Amino acid sequence: MIAKARRYYDAGWLPARREALRRGYIKSFRLLAVSEESKMDAEFILITEYESQDLFADREKNFQLIFDEMKTPRPLRVDGLGRDEIFESVKGMENYQEIAPVATRKP
């Protein structure tokens, strides 16, 4: 399933983030793959950084504009499988420890 998950991200998440970065909707993004030797529950960690609280608040609207223009079929499917069939999302944060609180830059 890891290969299918990677193809799912390559087809939708990554192109959308690249376009959002180009448009200034986001400050940065990362897709991290956890090594196979890791004992973590997740194989991938997706990180999107926003320049401001306003851009974060507008994220759904902004990404919807991008997805509409990408003309990628929605819902995205890989080998006939949808998101929920490919992924087991982390349901809670109980397996993670916050090292530092989320900080935002004041304008």
Side-chain angles (χ1 to χ4, degrees):
M1 272 308 194
I2 292 175
K4 283 182 177 47
R6 181 58 197 261
R7 286 177 37 218
Y8 185 91
Y9 292 133
D10 287 346
W13 194 87
L14 284 171
R17 292 316 181 274
R18 287 184 187 113
E19 181 61 19
L21 187 64
R22 187 186 73 75
R23 293 183 188 192
Y25 293 163
I26 64 175
K27 183 177 179 180
S28 69
F29 67 90
R30 294 183 199 120
L31 171 59
L32 305 175
V34 178
S35 70
E36 292 183 23
E37 297 81 34
S38 173
K39 302 292 184 209
M40 290 183 66
D41 292 335
E43 283 90 17
F44 295 99
I45 299 172
L46 313 172
I47 301 169
T48 303
E49 183 180 15
Y50 295 86
E51 186 70 41
S52 69
Q53 186 64 37
D54 289 339
L55 287 170
F56 176 76
D58 289 341
R59 69 192 180 283
E60 295 297 329
K61 175 188 67 147
N62 290 339
F63 276 106
Q64 189 59 55
L65 290 170
I66 291 170
F67 285 125
D68 289 347
E69 291 171 18
M70 286 173 56
K71 296 184 175 48
T72 303
R74 294 282 175 224
L76 184 61
R77 301 186 78 71
V78 172
D79 295 338
L81 301 175
R83 181 179 185 270
D84 292 341
E85 297 159 306
I86 295 172
F87 300 104
E88 179 182 336
S89 297
V90 176
K91 302 295 187 223
M93 297 301 289
E94 61 272 358
N95 295 323
Y96 299 90
Q97 178 181 4
E98 187 171 314
I99 303 299
V102 175
T104 56
R105 198 175 345 187
K106 303 284 186 215

